[in-house]
Amino acid sequence: MNLIEEAARHRLLERPELPIRCPVRLIHGMADADVPWRTSLRVMEQLASPDARLILVKDGEHTLSREQDLLLLTRTLGELLA
């Protein structure tokens, strides 16, 4: 019960804005059976950062652990670090 109550205090999507102002890249698989990709869209809309991008992987699942998914993650991280 403590875990559930603690999580309830951190419901970020209930805030009017997420005060994150650094560059953000959200990568979400549209075939994710656990978290709907529209959740990432909601997060994107609430971010304060003007440098935010949502990358949708049409056939990507929840873990995004296939080789092509890992390459996308690596490439995206490399772009942010450059």
Side-chain angles (χ1 to χ4, degrees):
M1 191 61 176
N2 288 340
L3 175 65
I4 293 170
E5 291 170 352
E6 173 70 15
R9 290 192 291 272
H10 299 286
R11 290 182 183 153
L12 297 177
L13 293 179
E14 293 180 4
R15 297 179 183 185
E17 180 182 75
L18 296 174
I20 299 170
R21 291 175 174 73
C22 63
V24 176
R25 301 299 178 266
L26 302 169
I27 303 174
H28 204 123
M30 294 179 77
D32 185 336
D34 299 308
V35 180
W37 62 267
R38 286 178 178 81
T39 301
S40 286
L41 183 59
R42 287 181 58 204
V43 170
M44 174 85 163
E45 292 171 338
Q46 290 178 257
L47 287 169
S49 175
D51 184 6
R53 297 179 193 166
L54 171 58
I55 301 165
L56 296 173
V57 181
K58 188 172 185 176
D59 61 346
E61 295 181 358
H62 184 71
T63 62
L64 290 175
S65 59
R66 302 171 301 174
E67 184 174 344
Q68 63 264 35
D69 299 330
L70 296 174
L71 289 171
L72 173 62
L73 291 164
T74 302
R75 185 174 64 242
T76 303
L77 180 58
E79 291 169 3
L80 281 170
L81 293 173

